[in-house]
Amino acid sequence: MAETVSFLKPRVVNPATNPAIDEIVRANIAVKRANALELLHAIAAEHGEVTFANSFGAEDMVLTDLILTERLPIEIFSLDTGRLPAETYTLMGEVEKRYGTRLKVYFPDATAVETWVRREGINAFYDSVELRKACCNIRKVEPLKRALAGKKAWITGMRAAQSATRTELPVRQFDDANGLEKYNPLSDWSEQEVWAYIRIHGVPYNALHDQFYPSIGCAPCTRAIAVGEDVRAGRWWWEDPANKECGLHKK
C-alpha cells in the first residue's frame, strides 16, 4: 500500500502562548489572581465610577475574566478604531457569548476620520510620526476621552515589561491628561504569567497571539515578531521604539 504524503505545513506552536504549567506555576497564578482581585475590589470601593479599557490583548482578557466572572462593579469599554483585525472582532463576539454581556464600544468621529483621510491619505500614518499620532488621536484618544467622561478612575492592562516606554510603570498613578486616577493591576506580571492564567482558566484570546503577535492594535500598524524580539516590536515597527505609544497612555 502506497504511503500517504501530506503537503500541509506543520502547525508552529508559539512557545510564548503555551507556557509550561506545573503545580508551582498554578500556585503562583492563584496568588497573582487573588492579589489582582483584592486590588480591583479596592479600586471599585474607593472610586465608585470606575471603567476598564479593554483592547482585547492577552492582558486585557485576564482583567476581563476577573471582572466578569467575579461580577465586579467595574464598567468595561472598548475602542473600535475602524481598522482592527478581523480576529479582534471575532474575539469580541466570543467575549459576549462566553460572559453573557454586551460590549460598550466607542467609535471615532466619522467626520474627523473622513477629513483626515481626504487630506493626508488612507495610509498616511506610515509617512511620519506626527501623522501617525494624528491618526491615533482621532481614532483612539478622542474616543477615550468620551469613554472616561464622568469617571473617577480607569484601569488598563499595561505591564512594566512590555516596552521601553513602560519600564517604570506603577500600579497606581494620576492621569493628568484625563484628570483621574489610573490603575495598572498587572504592572508586575510577566508575559508567562499572563499566558499561564489564560491557559489555566480557559480564557478566550485573540487568535493572532498564536501567530506571534504579542501586542495587537490596528491591523495596518501591527505585525508578527520573531522569537526573541521585544514584545512591542510589532507595533508601529517602522518607528523608533521610544515613540511607540499612541497617546492613550501619556506619562
Side-chain angles (χ1 to χ4, degrees), residues 32 50 73 108 133 135 194 200 209 222 244:
K32 288 277 189 176
V50 181
K133 289 187 176 181
C135 184
V194 168
I200 290 169
H209 287 309
T222 307
K244 292 190 176 185

Side-chain angles (χ1 to χ4, degrees), residues 15-122:
T17 65
N18 293 274
I21 298 175
D22 56 21
E23 291 307 309
I24 295 176
V25 171
R26 289 180 182 277
N28 177 55
I29 295 305
V31 172
K32 288 277 189 176
R33 183 180 189 278
N35 290 341
L37 275 176
E38 182 179 5
L39 175 58
L40 291 171
H41 276 289
I43 294 169
E46 179 178 349
H47 300 287
E49 292 294 323
V50 181
T51 192
F52 162 51
N54 181 7
S55 61
F56 297 98
E59 293 81 6
D60 289 346
M61 288 310 304
V62 169
L63 289 169
T64 296
D65 185 71
L66 288 169
I67 291 169
L68 294 181
T69 56
E70 297 296 322
R71 301 183 181 279
L72 299 177
I74 296 173
E75 175 191 81
I76 299 177
F77 76 88
S78 300
L79 305 179
D80 185 343
T81 65
R83 301 203 66 168
L84 299 178
E87 291 83 353
T88 300
Y89 292 112
T90 298
L91 177 58
M92 291 168 76
E94 291 177 0
V95 167
E96 290 191 329
K97 290 181 180 179
R98 164 72 178 269
Y99 298 101
T101 189
R102 278 287 176 264
L103 297 170
K104 189 170 187 178
V105 182
Y106 288 83
F107 297 83
D109 178 77
T111 300
V113 173
E114 289 173 0
T115 300
W116 189 85
V117 169
R118 289 171 182 172
R119 184 179 67 244
E120 307 295 349
I122 193 68

